[in-house]
Amino acid sequence: MTEGVNVSGDQAGFHALAVLVAGGGELALSDEGQLLGVLVEATEGPVVAGLHDRRLTVRGGDEGRSILADELRAVGDMDDGGHAHIEYFEGHFYLGAGSLPLILISPHGGMPRR
């Protein structure tokens, strides 16, 4: 399994990231965390997430980025612990080959309290 990028934050952070992913653009982050920023580019084709100079890059068509944005919002809206793995596999409906796995961690962290 290829190592991925852990994405965590509060509900507002996940929602802001979803808006960025859906619309494209750039976000600088403080150097206190693992990532220095996020760069989202609207291109043709499937979504490919990667890392470059400690910046998360997301490139892909509108439809695929919209689906990823929905997944970010859904994790941000979790009301208990949990996480989601966003990983490419052959035939994936919106991720492209070479996309780095994303591990989206609920604002409540850990596993669900059910």
Side-chain angles (χ1 to χ4, degrees):
M1 176 179 173
T2 305
E3 196 169 318
V5 176
N6 288 336
V7 179
S8 61
D10 60 14
Q11 183 181 40
F14 271 105
H15 284 227
L17 184 57
V19 168
L20 182 68
V21 166
E26 191 169 359
L27 173 67
L29 302 171
S30 72
D31 62 356
E32 295 174 18
Q34 299 276 337
L35 293 175
L36 294 178
V38 181
L39 173 64
V40 180
E41 294 183 81
T43 63
E44 296 295 317
V47 172
V48 177
L51 277 176
H52 181 70
D53 292 334
R54 291 182 50 203
R55 286 171 178 79
L56 175 64
T57 60
V58 178
R59 293 178 174 91
D62 291 344
E63 184 178 351
R65 287 185 297 103
S66 178
I67 295 168
L68 177 56
D70 288 345
E71 294 200 56
L72 289 163
R73 276 187 215 91
V75 170
D77 289 342
M78 287 180 174
D79 60 3
D80 60 1
H83 63 279
H85 289 256
I86 311 297
E87 297 184 48
Y88 171 79
F89 55 85
E90 190 168 333
H92 196 283
F93 65 104
Y94 75 89
L95 287 180
S99 187
L100 195 63
L102 301 175
I103 299 92
L104 310 179
I105 302 168
S106 161
H108 303 282
M111 293 305 294
R113 286 166 258 172
R114 297 176 202 176

